[in-house]
Amino acid sequence: IMLSFSVLGMKYGILRIVSAFALAILSGLVVELFYTEEETGGFIALSSFNPHEGHAEKPDVYLQTYEVFKKILPYLILAGVAGILIELAAPANFLKDYTISNNIIGVMLVILAGIPVYLCHGAEVLFLRPLIHQSGLSLGTAIAFSLASTSICITSFVMLIKFMGRKLTIILLANLIIVTLILGILLNVVVPEISFPAK
């Protein structure tokens, strides 16, 4: 948040926060809409303790953690390998070599480049500043990339399949892409310009 305001300006910072809230709330609502216990059996099986069943004694948290770790270890390994391969491919870097249009195709392109990677601690802001200057990204397109590159990545996608099931994970991913696309296009129409802070 601090980098957003200081590097890309007040307008970007505020709209980035509002967009993140909108994306998170809509994603939760959509997943809840399609949620059934049968489809998330893997997640439910990981926790044997139910506080509503009136157990007087809680199970050993260390033993539970160990059991969870054993069940998700193959997914952890798969997620780690997938993450490394994606990082080596550096899908976001190809954006530097092309002029990105600020229409629906351009917004979709930055989303598809941002989804596989995970940029955290403000890394997407530092990546965006030179990209905006070089490719002329509009506000909506920049925020679409920011949301896509911080909301989910290949590593978490693999883990979510284990915890939420394949159907819910695909629904979540589709929702993230669609909502981010709508937000990016809407912002391009309403507030297309990015005003950088004065030096």
Side-chain angles (χ1 to χ4, degrees), residues 115-128:
I115 287 285
V117 298
Y118 183 69
L119 300 171
C120 59
H121 304 298
E124 87 282 0
V125 174
L126 301 177
F127 181 84
L128 275 171

Side-chain angles (χ1 to χ4, degrees), residues 31-116:
V31 169
E32 183 71 21
L33 186 65
F34 288 94
Y35 170 81
T36 60
E37 287 191 2
E38 292 76 21
E39 288 161 358
T40 55
F43 174 69
I44 292 166
L46 292 176
S47 176
S48 58
F49 173 68
N50 185 347
H52 302 295
E53 287 179 358
H55 293 296
E57 196 175 310
K58 289 184 180 180
D60 186 331
V61 69
Y62 298 107
L63 186 59
Q64 264 201 331
T65 304
Y66 175 68
E67 290 300 320
V68 169
F69 179 75
K70 277 198 314 186
K71 290 184 179 185
I72 66 170
L73 183 59
Y75 290 85
L76 279 172
I77 293 168
L78 181 60
V81 170
I84 290 169
L85 292 175
I86 290 294
E87 286 298 320
L88 291 174
N93 284 344
F94 89 93
L95 295 176
K96 296 175 183 176
D97 302 324
Y98 297 96
T99 302
I100 309 297
S101 61
N102 291 308
N103 55 21
I104 188 170
I105 296 170
V107 175
M108 194 67 213
L109 195 62
V110 298
I111 291 171
L112 292 176
I115 287 285

Side-chain angles (χ1 to χ4, degrees), residues 1-9 12 16 92-93 95-96 119-134 137 142 145-146 149-150 196-197:
I1 289 171
M2 294 306 296
L3 277 173
S4 293
F5 283 112
S6 59
V7 175
L8 294 178
Y12 173 88
R16 171 66 175 83
N93 284 344
L95 295 176
K96 296 175 183 176
L119 300 171
C120 59
H121 304 298
E124 87 282 0
V125 174
L126 301 177
F127 181 84
L128 275 171
R129 178 69 188 248
L131 190 62
I132 290 164
H133 278 298
Q134 185 175 324
L137 292 189
F145 176 78
S146 181
S149 63
T150 56
F196 290 111

